[in-house]
Amino acid sequence: MGETKKTQRRVKAAVDEKLAMAAPDRELLEMLAVECAKEPSQVNTFQYAFALCQSTTPAEQRYALSILDGLVQEGYEHQTDCFYGAATALYLLKNYDEARTRCEAILRNSPENRNAAELHLACIEAAEEVAAKEKKRLAFLAIGSTTSLAAAGLVLGVATILMKGDDDPNKIKSIHDAVY
């Protein structure tokens, strides 16, 4: 295994740990929601959405995405932070390709953005892990299907040999009982 692959795995583990520790509690989310409702502003909306994007609840992560995308469309001053928050939510939602695309957009404008670079590597590793698991699952299904077909062919072959030239109903019944 190459150094790049090891680094990618190590970075993904660090990102996963960081995101697990950053998940906001209910109290914080409620406080930010109240503040946002009491004093509506782009800054308060961003703070609420950024906290939501790190939530452990997929519905809150999707809501954060819509808020952050809305802030970008409104021309919010901190676009990079909105993109990073959206990439984080997408990563947690296991939408690795879209999260990676958002990270790449950040890195095109701010190549020194360490958080985006780490999340980008984590997206690549996570997508590769999903692809590897799917490949194993399909191989297992193919082996299972092949084995089932071979067993069915064997049963059919044995039944054909046993029945060849013998129309005895008792023998046919015993073959049926043995197979099923």
Side-chain angles (χ1 to χ4, degrees), residues 24-171:
D25 61 17
R26 211 42 44 215
E27 187 178 315
L28 175 64
L29 290 175
E30 288 173 9
M31 182 193 75
L32 290 170
V34 167
E35 187 65 28
C36 195
K38 190 167 54 172
E39 291 183 39
S41 70
Q42 286 186 330
V43 171
N44 287 344
T45 301
F46 170 76
Q47 289 176 344
Y48 178 53
F50 199 82
L52 283 173
C53 77
Q54 298 175 50
S55 170
T56 56
T57 307
E60 290 176 342
Q61 294 161 351
R62 285 188 292 276
Y63 185 49
L65 270 172
S66 67
I67 294 172
L68 292 167
D69 287 344
L71 284 169
V72 168
Q73 289 174 352
E74 291 172 11
Y76 180 57
E77 174 181 3
H78 302 286
Q79 303 253 326
T80 300
D81 295 329
C82 289
F83 268 79
Y84 180 75
T88 300
L90 289 162
Y91 178 81
L92 291 171
L93 288 166
K94 299 182 183 346
N95 187 342
Y96 304 121
D97 291 336
E98 182 63 25
R100 180 179 174 182
T101 299
R102 301 276 180 122
C103 289
E104 288 168 353
I106 295 168
L107 293 170
R108 273 193 295 280
N109 293 318
S110 304
E112 74 290 344
N113 189 314
R114 183 181 172 136
N115 288 333
E118 288 176 352
L119 186 56
H120 183 258
L121 279 178
C123 290
I124 293 169
E125 179 61 25
E128 288 175 0
E129 286 175 3
V130 168
K133 284 179 185 174
E134 181 64 11
K135 186 176 178 181
K136 284 181 183 176
R137 187 184 74 78
L138 291 174
F140 180 75
L141 288 175
I143 290 169
S145 297
T146 303
T147 304
S148 296
L149 284 173
L154 180 65
V155 168
L156 216 51
V158 169
T160 302
I161 290 169
L162 291 174
M163 291 177 53
K164 206 169 206 176
D166 194 352
D167 292 334
D168 182 9
N170 291 329
K171 192 170 192 177

